[in-house]
Amino acid sequence: MSRSAPVVPAALLAFALTLSACTGGGDDGAKGTPGSPGLRDPYFPKMGNGGYDVTHYGLTLDYHPDGNHLRATAVITARAKQDLSAFDLDLKGLDVKGVTVEGEEARWNRAGQELTVRPKEDLDKGETFRTTVRYSGTPETITDPDGSEEGWLRTGDGALALGEPTGSMAWFPGNHHPSDKASYDVTVTVPEGVQAVSNGELTKESTKKGRTTTTWHTAEPMASYLATVAIGRYDIRRSTTPDGLPVYVAVDPSQAKASRKVLARIPEIMTWSEDIFGPYPFSSTGAIVDRPDDAAYALETQNRPFFPGAPDTELLVHELAHQWYGDSVTPRTWRDMWLNEGFATYAEWLWQEEHGGRTAQQVFDALYDGDYYQDRTDDEAIWAFPPAKPSSAAHISDSPVYERGAMVLHKIRQKTGDNTFRTLLRGWATAHRHGNADTAEFTAYVERQVPDEDFSGIWKEWLYGDGKPGRP
Ligand code: TRP
Ligand code: ZN
């Protein structure tokens, strides 16, 4: 759709022109300033961009597994948060073929991961505008600060996109920061016989001239690090939960046998999770199991988490819990990672407690006493830094964020008792459903809900304090 010309009475138009002349603008509308090239995230300062908010990504991908070649168009709908003369998108690698804004060719240039776009006309604050980027090439695999691989990963028979924390800029241009969530439509064309799976729901499928096209729709807001596409041959199973929620599971054939039993528990785990965390925030669920050449971690990709092989039940519980904590309630910055991992880890503890395993208290005690892991250094590592202040970008997925983050929740439970704690878990997911939240909002939330208890010691020692907290 192109920008429609507003019908303005002549008198008003004259007034507006006078006004813009006064502010230094003119017919060319040159009153905007460039949006900033990063959002100053404490761990990934260049990720994301200032000056606009994305509301929707429309990605059309044409992929050839043989040559690992992608040809794509990204249509990005965004709202200007200031008068904009230029703005950045994050894109790493690939060749940009052209950029238009509101249908008009735009000037652009690239420096590192910044794709700077200069629209022909300045954009007005509050204006919704569409940017189309045509690009192609072989997408990159990005090495994280912690040495793990993300971005575009090859598999034996295709490819897989994983985006936490910075990988999504390897396969589409965008505002790649968790604070800017958007809806998505992803259309993927691959050779007939190959499948493509993404987030959300499959809305269209067709085959023409030996190429199959599928379209996936995500209506609920999604952070770009949770976007995925998995391309290859899969054993696909579709079903529904007892509540009628669609389940879509895609498993690499080599993992099908080992995965069948555990993935058949998705409906049961969903029912258990909804009972504790509250109503499921999305329109479908499922899982993707594949074998990337270079990555061996699971990821809570929205709707259907990714597993690098048949998961065990605890890992499945963990990634499904992330749909509430991480995917629906998303960290405001990468400093707030423990709000994802502490909660998803605590979900595992609760599951075990309620399914004949160790109680959360027993897990807590083992971690505190230093006999949780096989290895002494792992037992010590949990005290390396406080959950709410990871020591650097290389450590945002270390045990102080996961296990010690879960210990913070257990400390809260000890203080409030089980019933209030459950109300807190559920209420937190409700309060920020489909939004973002940070650690200060979490502590304020707990204090508001339970005004008669003093949590300051827990925050000071367990959440923000260096070293191992003393025994109470
Ligand atoms: N979030 C994933 C999980 O716990 C793990 C993970 C994968 C991760 N890649 C990461 C964590 C990058 C931090 C950064 O299920
Ligand atoms: Zn996790």
Side-chain angles (χ1 to χ4, degrees):
M1 210 200 311
S2 65
R3 194 154 28 163
S4 57
V7 185
V8 183
L12 209 62
L13 189 64
F15 174 73
L17 286 173
T18 319
L19 199 68
S20 64
C22 293
T23 54
D27 281 341
D28 59 353
K31 61 184 168 132
T33 51
S36 77
L39 289 172
R40 298 202 211 153
D41 184 276
Y43 295 84
F44 298 93
K46 284 192 284 189
M47 297 308 296
N49 307 284
Y52 65 93
D53 249 324
V54 177
T55 52
H56 183 262
Y57 290 94
L59 308 178
T60 306
L61 313 171
D62 196 310
Y63 183 65
H64 289 263
D66 286 346
N68 191 19
H69 189 267
L70 179 70
R71 208 179 42 160
T73 303
V75 180
I76 301 164
T77 309
R79 208 179 55 81
K81 295 205 288 189
Q82 65 181 64
D83 293 332
L84 275 176
S85 59
F87 60 91
D88 278 17
L89 295 164
D90 300 315
L91 180 68
K92 190 144 192 293
L94 298 163
D95 301 311
V96 173
K97 303 288 182 200
V99 181
T100 64
V101 176
E102 290 295 288
E104 295 207 74
E105 287 301 326
R107 287 192 297 157
W108 54 271
N109 67 282
R110 303 188 70 184
Q113 69 179 59
E114 302 300 323
L115 166 60
T116 303
V117 178
R118 276 166 231 292
K120 200 160 170 212
E121 277 177 63
D122 281 11
L123 299 159
D124 297 330
K125 180 177 178 174
E127 176 180 354
T128 295
F129 62 100
R130 261 189 207 211
T131 305
T132 301
V133 181
R134 287 183 301 112
Y135 59 101
S136 65
T138 295
E140 290 182 11
T141 300
I142 294 172
T143 304
D144 282 343
D146 70 4
S148 59
E149 308 278 15
E150 55 163 330
W152 195 259
L153 304 161
R154 289 312 307 267
T155 60
D157 57 4
L160 168 77
L162 293 182
E164 190 180 29
T166 69
S168 293
M169 64 181 170
W171 62 285
F172 66 97
N175 198 23
H176 291 305
H177 190 265
S179 57
D180 190 2
K181 296 164 61 160
S183 57
Y184 284 69
D185 283 284
V186 180
T187 297
V188 194
T189 301
V190 290
E192 187 175 1
V194 174
Q195 283 128 335
V197 181
S198 185
N199 312 90
E201 294 83 55
L202 177 62
T203 54
K204 261 185 260 163
E205 181 157 25
S206 67
T207 298
K208 247 185 265 157
K209 294 189 191 153
R211 313 254 319 146
T212 299
T213 300
T214 51
T215 297
W216 296 82
H217 176 65
T218 297
E220 297 91 2
M222 176 163 75
S224 73
Y225 79 93
L226 300 167
T228 189
V229 58
I231 297 167
R233 291 175 203 276
Y234 299 101
D235 186 13
I236 289 170
R237 277 163 198 261
R238 306 178 73 154
S239 59
T240 49
T241 65
D243 291 348
L245 186 74
V247 184
Y248 191 102
V249 172
V251 181
D252 183 84
S254 73
Q255 302 302 304
K257 193 158 175 284
S259 305
R260 190 150 304 152
K261 244 174 117 176
V262 62
L263 296 181
R265 298 188 75 176
I266 289 175
E268 175 198 354
I269 296 170
M270 291 293 295
T271 303
W272 178 84
S273 302
E274 287 205 86
D275 184 46
I276 298 174
F277 313 139
Y280 180 65
F282 304 121
S283 308
S284 63
T285 185
I288 298 169
V289 181
D290 207 346
R291 305 289 282 172
D293 297 341
D294 303 308
Y297 56 82
L299 186 65
E300 60 269 27
T301 42
Q302 194 153 304
N303 304 90
R304 45 194 62 80
F306 165 76
F307 301 94
D312 62 20
T313 312
E314 275 71 38
L315 185 59
L316 183 56
V317 167
H318 177 112
E319 302 305 337
L320 289 175
H322 270 310
Q323 303 301 313
W324 284 259
Y325 307 106
D327 296 16
S328 172
V329 183
T330 302
R332 205 172 284 291
T333 76
W334 289 111
R335 181 163 44 207
D336 306 306
M337 267 289 282
W338 82 277
L339 292 172
N340 288 8
E341 302 305 345
F343 279 73
T345 301
Y346 203 79
E348 292 178 63
W349 297 5
L350 282 175
W351 172 271
Q352 286 168 32
E353 176 171 310
E354 295 184 11
H355 292 82
R358 288 195 284 186
T359 63
Q361 183 64 49
Q362 286 170 327
V363 178
F364 179 95
D365 289 342
L367 284 163
Y368 192 86
D369 296 338
D371 44 43
Y372 181 81
Y373 299 98
Q374 305 291 332
D375 186 334
R376 188 86 230 135
T377 52
D378 291 335
D379 285 318
E380 284 304 316
I382 192 172
W383 313 116
F385 57 82
K389 274 191 293 171
S391 49
S392 76
H395 296 286
I396 61 168
S397 46
D398 287 4
S399 63
V401 173
Y402 284 68
E403 277 77 22
R404 187 169 161 186
M407 290 174 95
V408 172
L409 296 177
H410 193 71
K411 292 301 292 180
I412 297 170
R413 179 178 172 188
Q414 285 177 337
K415 201 176 258 308
T416 64
D418 288 359
N419 287 343
T420 303
F421 180 68
R422 278 184 172 242
T423 308
L424 286 173
L425 282 183
R426 177 188 269 267
W428 175 245
T430 309
H432 296 278
R433 184 179 167 93
H434 297 157
N436 291 91
D438 62 23
T439 304
E441 287 171 277
F442 176 73
T443 56
Y445 172 79
V446 173
E447 287 167 0
R448 228 176 19 251
Q449 297 299 307
V450 193
D452 48 332
E453 292 286 356
D454 178 11
F455 294 94
S456 59
I458 299 179
W459 308 151
K460 187 162 169 277
E461 284 200 81
W462 282 90
L463 196 47
Y464 293 109
D466 288 320
K468 183 174 178 174
R471 212 175 274 279

